[in-house]
Amino acid sequence: MGGSRHQLNKSHKTRFASKSSRNVHKISSQDKRKISKSDRSVAKGAKAARLQRNKMMREQKRAAVLKEKRALSGPTSPPRVIVLFGLTARVNLNAVEEDILSLLSEERNTTTFPAVASSEYKLRATVLKAPHGDLVTCMEMAKVADLLAFVASPNSSQEADDTDSFIDSFGSQCLSVFRTLGLPSTAVLIRDLPVDLKRKHELKKTCMSVLASEFPEDCKFFPADEKDELHKFISLLKELRLTVPHWRSQRSYLMAQKVDMVSDDTCSPETCTLVLTGYLRAHSLSVNQLVHVSGAGDFQLSKIEVLRDPCPLNLRKGVDLMDSESDTQVETCLTPDPMKQEPLAVENALDLLAGEQTWPTEAEMAEADRNHKEKKMKKKKLPRGISEYQAAWIVDDSDVDYSDSDEGEDDGMVLDDGESGFPDHKVENGSEFDEDQVSLNLRDSDEETETESVLMDADNLTKEQIAEQIRKIKEDHAEDEEFPDEVDTPIDVPARKRFAKYRGVKSFRTSTWDPKESLPPEYARIFAFDNFARTQKHVLAKALDLGQETDGCIPSGAYVRLYVKDVSAVIASKLCALSEKMPIIASGLLQHESKISVLHFSIRKHDSYDAPIKAKEELLFHVGFRQFISRPIYSSDSINANKHKMERFLHAGRFSVASIYAPICFPSLPLIALKSQGDGTSPAVAAVGSLRSVDPDRIVLKKIILTGYPQRVSKSKATVRYMFHNPEDVKWFKPVEVWSKCGRRGRIREPVGTHGAMKCILNGVLQQHDTVCMSLFKRTYPKWPQQWFPLQSGSD
C-alpha cells in the first residue's frame, strides 16, 4: 500500500489563507521547486544588501560620534569650561573650586593660567565661579559653559526650616534664563552633608526630590564633600559626551583668557587694536570673517596669531611648566586678504541726491518757460484749498472742470477696500484741509499718538517727577487692559488733523495694504532679502564649507590671539576692566550678520517681572552671543492674516511678536531682554523668547477706536454724539464703517447740528445703552536706537 497509493488529505483551508496557498495544488512540483529556490535567492540577496547598508550607516554614525568625542575630549580639544553656580547665596563655591582643582592638578595649584591639565584623568578644564546676584555675569558664563555644575547645600534648608530653600529666588530666575539660552550638560553637586550615613542618605534623597523637577532628566546628583566623591564626578565628566545648544554649534567663538589693548599709530588716537587671547571653540575661524565682541559691537580682524598651547595635556620631558606658560611663541600668523575680507557694512548707503535730475540744458529751460506761459494763459478751475503748486501735479488727461456744484458732494476720508491710498483732503462747506499743513503736522500727530515710552533724562527730573511718570505708565497699562485701543477725540484739535495718518479698513484680514507704501526714512538705511530662507540656507552651507578649508582658517581647539582693529579706546578700556569679573566673548559672524534690518522675535514677559513694559521702551537684547540695544514694538501673531495688530504694552501670560531695528541674525537664536533698573543696580530680566524671522515687509497696524453714544434711536436709525465735535470731522470720516459693542454695523449718513452729532443707519435696532465705535488703523515701525551696543554709552 505504499508508494503513490498512500492517502493524501487536503490541507485545512482557514479563512485567512492566501490566494497562492489555496491554488498551490494547481502548480507542478518542479515549478514549485524552481519558484521557491529563486525566491529564496532574491530574498537572500535583498536581505544581504539591506544588512550591509545598515552596517555602513552604523559605522558612519560611530565614526562621527568618535570624531566628535575626540574633538571635545582629545589632546587637541580646548579645555572644558566648568561653571559652578550656587543655588543659594550660602553655598561656598570657593571650597568647591579648590577641591576640584586639587584633584585635577596637585602640583599646579600655584599656576596663574586659568586652564589646568590633568595627566591622571587625561582632561583639561577651566573652572569658573558664577557670582551670586550678578545676573549678566552668570548669563555670559552660561553661554560658554561646557558643563553647568549647580551646587546645593542642605544647610540653608535646615536654617530656614523649609525644604524649598534649596534654591532661592535668584537661583530660580537664573535657572529660567539658562533654560531659555539652552542648557548644556548639567550636574548637581550636594555639599555640606552630615557624616552620619543614615542622615546623609535622607538629606540627599530630600534634595533630589526637591530639585529633580528643575533640571533635565539626564542630570545626575553627586555628593561632593569628600575627595572620593569628587573623583567619581570628574571621572564621569571625562567620559561624558557633552551636549551644547544648537545655536552654539553654528558659530565659532572664543572666551578671552587675556584682554589687552594696543595703540596703533596709523589710526586716530580715539581708536586702538583690541587683543583677545584664548582657545577657539566650536568651529574654525577665518581671518577674513567679522567678529562680534559682546557688548562692544562688530569689527574686522587685522591678523590672527596661532600660539603654542600653554597648557598641553602631556608635557614633554625636560620642559619646565613655568617656561611653557610664559613662552608666547607664535607658530602661525594669518593676515586678511583685502579681496576676500568681509566688509563691515552696517547701514545701507543713503544717497540723498539719488532722485535728483542733472542740470537742464538751455533748450530744456526755454521749452519749460514756454510751457509755463501757455499754462498760465489757459485758465483752469481748481477745487477750493488747492494751491498752484499742488495743481501742477494733476495730470492734464485727468483734469476736470470743477464747479461750485461739486461742493455739494460728499468727499472725505477714503475707505481702504483693497487699495492703499491716502485719503483726499477736500472737505465740503468751504472747510479746506491744506495738504501742506498735513505734511507739517504729520510728525506732530504721529508723536502724539505713538507710545513714546522712553523717560526723560533722569538727571533733569526730581524724584517726584519720576514717580509721577511711573504712576502714569502704570495707569496707562491698566487702562489698556480694560479698554484696549479706545481713545478720546480731542476737543480743541479737529479729528481730521489729529488722526490724519489713520485710515479705515473694510476687513482687517482680507483688505490689502501695500508694504512699500509711505515708508519712514529709516527704511532707506536697512537691508532686505528677496528670499530670506534661501539666503539662510546658502549662508549656513557656506559656513560648513569654511570648516573644510585650510587657507586662511584657524581650526577649532587652537590657542590663538585675535587682533581686532578700529576699536574705540574707551570701549577697549571698559573691556579690559570687565575681563576681571566676567568672560569676554568674541564670536565669528556669518555672512550679512553685521547689516541692519528689521528682526522679529517671539517674546513673552518674564514671570518675575511685574512692572509694565511699554512699546518702544529701551531694552537690552541678548541674542545668542550678541548684545544690542533696541526699542521694540509689540504685535499680535495673526495666523490667517498678513497684517498684525500692534500692542501698546507687553502683557503677561501670552506670547507677542517684538519687532526691532537690529543687526541681522539667522534663526534660531534665544533671546533674553533685560531692563535697566537705574541707580547702578543690576538689570532685571524683563522678557524671554527666540528669534523668529527677518522681514522688513511685516505690516504692524496700530488700531484706535473712536467711541460715541446714542442720543435718539428710531428703528435702524440713530443719532450719535460725542464721537466728533464738529460737522467737518463727521463729513471727513463718513466713508468709514461704524459698529457697536452689541454687534450692530452701519454707516454715517450725515452730520446733525454744529457740535459733531451725526445720524447713522445700522443693520438693526440700536440699544440705548450700547456704544457706537469706529476703527481706524495706521502702520507703525520700531524706533531707531540712539546707540547700538551697551558699551558705547559715554564713548563718544
Side-chain angles (χ1 to χ4, degrees):
M1 300 296 294
S4 61
R5 290 181 173 271
H6 70 276
Q7 182 179 354
L8 294 176
N9 299 325
K10 291 195 294 185
S11 60
H12 181 67
K13 296 181 179 179
T14 63
R15 54 184 291 204
F16 300 107
S18 64
K19 185 182 294 185
S20 61
S21 63
R22 291 197 300 267
N23 299 329
V24 70
H25 62 282
K26 298 180 181 180
I27 306 175
S28 63
S29 59
Q30 293 182 355
D31 293 340
K32 285 192 290 185
R33 193 179 300 111
K34 292 180 181 178
I35 293 174
S36 61
K37 186 176 180 180
S38 61
D39 289 345
R40 285 197 300 269
S41 62
V42 171
K44 184 178 179 180
K47 184 177 181 180
R50 186 171 65 252
L51 293 176
Q52 182 67 19
R53 183 174 64 252
N54 293 340
K55 181 180 178 181
M56 292 177 60
M57 292 176 63
R58 286 196 302 270
E59 291 178 353
Q60 290 176 358
K61 290 181 180 180
R62 188 181 295 111
V65 171
L66 184 61
K67 180 180 179 182
E68 182 182 359
K69 184 177 180 180
R70 289 174 177 172
L72 293 176
S73 60
T76 59
S77 64
R80 297 189 174 187
V81 180
I82 305 174
V83 176
L84 302 177
F85 180 81
L87 294 177
T88 60
R90 299 179 181 272
V91 175
N92 186 6
L93 294 181
N94 294 326
V96 181
E97 182 189 23
E98 291 177 0
D99 294 343
I100 293 177
L101 291 179
S102 63
L103 282 176
L104 291 177
S105 56
E106 295 181 356
E107 70 261 1
R108 302 185 186 183
N109 292 335
T110 59
T111 61
T112 58
F113 192 75
V116 293
S118 173
S119 57
E120 177 183 357
Y121 294 99
K122 295 182 179 180
L123 177 70
R124 296 192 299 173
T126 300
V127 182
L128 301 177
K129 296 178 296 181
H132 198 85
D134 191 348
L135 177 64
V136 177
T137 303
C138 293
M139 286 174 52
E140 294 299 305
M141 288 184 177
K143 291 178 183 179
V144 297
D146 294 322
L147 175 72
L148 263 176
F150 297 93
V151 185
S153 175
N155 287 342
S156 56
S157 63
Q158 292 175 355
E159 295 175 3
D161 198 17
D162 186 7
T163 57
D164 292 339
S165 60
F166 278 108
I167 178 171
D168 57 9
S169 59
F170 181 77
S172 299
Q173 184 185 36
C174 286
L175 263 177
S176 65
V177 171
F178 296 162
R179 282 192 288 263
T180 303
L181 289 173
L183 282 174
S185 300
T186 57
V188 178
L189 305 180
I190 307 176
R191 298 278 293 187
D192 303 327
L193 292 173
V195 180
D196 184 26
L197 293 180
K198 183 177 179 181
R199 180 64 178 163
K200 179 178 181 180
H201 180 70
E202 290 178 354
L203 281 178
K204 178 184 175 183
K205 189 175 180 180
T206 302
C207 181
M208 292 177 61
S209 63
V210 171
L211 298 179
S213 60
E214 300 289 341
F215 300 100
E217 295 181 356
D218 58 347
C219 180
K220 296 185 179 298
F221 290 77
F222 298 93
D225 287 321
E226 300 178 1
K227 188 174 182 180
D228 294 339
E229 296 170 342
L230 285 175
H231 171 75
K232 182 179 179 181
F233 163 69
I234 297 176
S235 299
L236 182 67
L237 173 64
K238 171 196 169 185
E239 301 296 334
L240 182 65
R241 180 187 176 188
L242 298 179
T243 58
V244 296
H246 174 68
W247 61 270
R248 255 171 61 179
S249 61
Q250 292 181 338
R251 296 165 176 82
S252 59
Y253 65 96
L254 178 142
M255 184 185 69
Q257 296 177 342
K258 188 177 180 182
V259 181
D260 296 319
M261 51 184 298
V262 179
S263 60
D264 195 349
D265 298 336
T266 60
C267 300
S268 61
E270 289 81 11
T271 60
C272 64
T273 300
L274 183 68
V275 183
L276 304 176
T277 307
Y279 289 94
L280 190 64
R281 302 172 186 269
H283 267 283
S284 59
L285 178 67
S286 173
V287 71
N288 299 314
Q289 272 184 272
L290 299 177
V291 294
H292 174 83
V293 181
S294 295
D298 305 334
F299 303 98
Q300 289 180 326
L301 295 174
S302 60
K303 64 178 178 178
I304 298 179
E305 293 180 349
V306 180
L307 308 179
R308 192 174 68 179
D309 195 342
C311 184
L313 190 60
N314 298 318
L315 288 176
R316 297 187 301 272
K317 294 183 179 180
V319 178
D320 189 18
L321 176 65
M322 299 303 295
D323 294 340
S324 64
E325 289 180 356
S326 60
D327 190 4
T328 57
Q329 180 180 356
V330 179
E331 296 182 350
T332 309
C333 181
L334 299 180
T335 56
D337 185 358
M339 302 299 295
K340 297 181 180 179
Q341 190 173 22
E342 188 77 20
L344 185 59
V346 178
E347 297 181 10
N348 203 353
L350 178 61
D351 187 4
L352 298 176
L353 301 178
E356 296 293 331
Q357 296 180 352
T358 57
W359 189 259
T361 61
E362 294 182 0
E364 292 175 344
M365 293 178 65
E367 184 179 358
D369 291 339
R370 186 167 57 254
N371 294 336
H372 181 64
K373 290 179 181 179
E374 292 178 357
K375 287 183 179 180
K376 274 190 173 183
M377 295 177 63
K378 179 183 177 182
K379 291 186 178 181
K380 183 192 306 180
K381 291 184 179 181
L382 301 176
R384 300 184 64 181
I386 300 298
S387 62
E388 293 183 358
Y389 174 77
Q390 294 166 338
W393 292 94
I394 301 177
V395 183
D396 292 339
D397 295 338
S398 61
D399 285 345
V400 294
D401 292 335
Y402 293 89
S403 60
D404 296 337
S405 61
D406 292 337
E407 296 181 5
E409 299 178 0
D410 291 334
D411 189 11
M413 172 172 279
V414 177
L415 178 64
D416 190 351
D417 182 14
E419 295 182 359
S420 58
F422 201 79
D424 194 3
H425 299 292
K426 179 179 177 296
V427 187
E428 59 181 23
N429 292 341
S431 177
E432 300 87 4
F433 187 37
D434 190 5
E435 192 160 355
D436 294 337
Q437 189 177 359
V438 175
S439 62
L440 291 175
N441 293 335
L442 281 183
R443 179 64 61 181
D444 298 336
S445 63
D446 182 47
E447 292 297 328
E448 290 173 0
T449 55
E450 290 290 352
T451 54
E452 287 294 335
S453 58
V454 180
L455 296 178
M456 298 173 61
D457 190 4
D459 299 335
N460 301 329
L461 295 178
T462 62
K463 293 183 178 179
E464 292 77 9
Q465 291 174 331
I466 295 176
E468 179 65 22
Q469 285 189 354
I470 295 175
R471 184 190 62 80
K472 186 177 180 181
I473 291 177
K474 290 183 178 180
E475 289 180 355
D476 294 342
H477 182 266
E479 184 180 355
D480 182 65
E481 288 185 343
E482 187 175 2
F483 305 105
D485 308 323
E486 292 189 12
V487 298
D488 296 329
T489 305
I491 300 176
D492 53 343
V493 180
R496 61 189 184 278
K497 293 184 181 180
R498 179 66 172 83
F499 308 116
K501 298 186 74 174
Y502 290 82
R503 68 176 62 165
V505 174
K506 188 173 183 180
S507 173
F508 185 83
R509 187 178 64 87
T510 60
S511 295
T512 59
W513 195 298
D514 187 4
K516 306 296 184 182
E517 175 196 2
S518 301
L519 296 177
E522 289 81 6
Y523 265 55
R525 306 163 65 179
I526 67 174
F527 293 84
F529 299 96
D530 292 335
N531 190 333
F532 181 75
R534 181 179 60 190
T535 303
Q536 179 182 357
K537 181 180 178 181
H538 291 171
V539 168
L540 295 180
K542 183 179 178 181
L544 290 177
D545 295 340
L546 184 66
Q548 307 298 329
E549 297 180 3
T550 57
D551 186 15
C553 292
I554 304 299
S556 174
Y559 188 70
V560 299
R561 183 184 292 156
L562 304 182
Y563 288 83
V564 185
K565 65 178 182 179
D566 297 337
V567 182
S568 172
V570 177
I571 294 178
S573 61
K574 290 181 180 179
L575 289 172
C576 293
L578 287 175
S579 63
E580 300 295 331
K581 66 173 186 177
M582 62 186 296
I584 304 300
I585 306 172
S587 58
L589 296 181
L590 303 178
Q591 189 180 11
H592 307 301
E593 282 197 328
S594 66
K595 302 172 183 177
I596 303 298
S597 188
V598 182
L599 276 63
H600 306 285
F601 295 85
S602 179
I603 191 172
R604 67 173 178 86
K605 195 174 182 180
H606 197 262
D607 298 334
S608 63
Y609 195 79
D610 299 329
I613 303 176
K614 205 172 183 182
K616 300 187 180 178
E617 193 171 5
E618 192 172 273
L619 297 176
L620 176 59
F621 273 37
H622 283 248
V623 183
F625 289 120
R626 309 181 76 176
Q627 304 176 21
F628 42 77
I629 298 174
S630 62
R631 299 173 64 183
I633 59 172
Y634 307 110
S635 60
S636 60
D637 188 13
S638 303
I639 299 177
N640 297 326
N642 57 359
K643 296 176 286 298
H644 310 273
K645 180 179 172 294
M646 193 197 89
E647 298 175 349
R648 297 176 61 237
F649 290 88
L650 182 61
H651 296 290
R654 66 171 184 254
F655 275 90
S656 298
V657 178
S659 303
I660 62 171
Y661 291 117
I664 293 171
C665 304
F666 291 100
S668 59
L669 289 173
L671 164 67
I672 307 294
L674 304 181
K675 180 70 175 67
S676 176
Q677 301 288 336
D679 301 332
T681 59
S682 178
V685 181
V688 296
S690 60
L691 178 61
R692 183 168 181 170
S693 62
V694 179
D695 184 15
D697 292 337
R698 190 177 191 269
I699 299 174
V700 179
L701 298 181
K702 179 181 179 181
K703 178 183 179 181
I704 62 171
I705 298 176
L706 306 181
T707 57
Y709 306 95
Q711 184 179 14
R712 284 187 294 270
V713 178
S714 176
K715 296 183 180 180
S716 62
K717 299 179 182 179
T719 302
V720 181
R721 59 179 177 176
Y722 300 144
M723 182 179 288
F724 304 108
H725 302 293
N726 56 73
E728 287 78 12
D729 288 342
V730 177
K731 298 170 187 175
W732 176 265
F733 291 96
K734 183 178 177 181
V736 185
E737 184 184 32
V738 295
W739 52 277
S740 71
K741 292 186 177 180
C742 291
R744 299 288 182 259
R745 291 190 173 274
R747 60 182 180 86
I748 301 174
R749 184 173 181 180
E750 59 184 0
V752 177
T754 60
H755 290 78
M758 57 186 181
K759 187 179 292 185
C760 300
I761 301 177
L762 298 103
N763 60 353
V765 179
L766 187 67
Q767 301 294 328
Q768 195 68 37
H769 61 81
D770 203 352
T771 303
V772 179
C773 305
M774 176 185 291
S775 300
L776 299 175
F777 298 89
K778 179 190 67 172
R779 186 176 178 184
T780 58
Y781 305 91
K783 273 288 185 180
W784 195 271
Q786 298 178 354
Q787 60 184 24
W788 289 111
F789 305 104
L791 293 181
Q792 289 180 348
S793 58
S795 62
D796 296 336

